Amino acid sequence: MEKITLSVDGMMCVKCETHMNETAKKMLGTSKVSSFHKDKKTVIITDKKISDEQLRQTVEKAGYKLLKIERSAEEKKGIFSIFKSK
């Protein structure tokens, strides 16, 4: 799993967050998307390969400006994750 954090300029309200989430879900084919207008961020959790160009096009299609892309590994969480040793 990969966590992709996008810095997005132009989201001003909760409706903007919803619009960004719906656009990302539709264009990228992923269901785990959360946007935060106050932080100017959209976070995508996915197991798909998504290129930087696809991310840029998605943000622009929603009507916003992509400022930065950060990628990191995301541990899959499930009911049995509490039994994993650390």
Side-chain angles (χ1 to χ4, degrees):
M1 299 288 283
E2 182 177 35
K3 178 180 178 181
I4 304 170
T5 303
L6 308 175
S7 294
V8 179
D9 189 34
M11 291 190 294
M12 306 297 273
C13 64
V14 175
K15 287 184 180 182
C16 294
E17 294 173 359
T18 301
H19 179 61
M20 184 63 218
N21 292 346
E22 290 173 355
T23 302
K25 287 175 184 179
K26 182 178 178 183
M27 290 189 68
L28 302 173
T30 186
S31 61
K32 295 182 181 180
V33 181
S34 300
S35 294
F36 310 94
H37 74 278
K38 289 182 181 178
D39 297 330
K40 298 184 177 184
K41 297 213 182 284
T42 295
V43 179
I44 301 165
I45 307 294
T46 186
D47 56 358
K48 295 182 175 192
K49 288 288 185 188
I50 301 173
S51 71
D52 288 357
E53 181 60 21
Q54 286 175 294
L55 295 168
R56 184 190 61 75
Q57 288 176 358
T58 299
V59 172
E60 288 180 1
K61 175 82 173 174
Y64 308 113
K65 182 178 179 183
L66 178 62
L67 301 175
K68 187 168 131 183
I69 300 170
E70 296 177 29
R71 297 174 183 264
S72 61
E74 178 72 8
E75 185 177 318
K76 192 171 186 175
K77 293 183 173 84
I79 191 163
F80 296 107
S81 65
I82 59 172
F83 299 112
K84 282 187 173 181
S85 61
K86 295 187 179 192

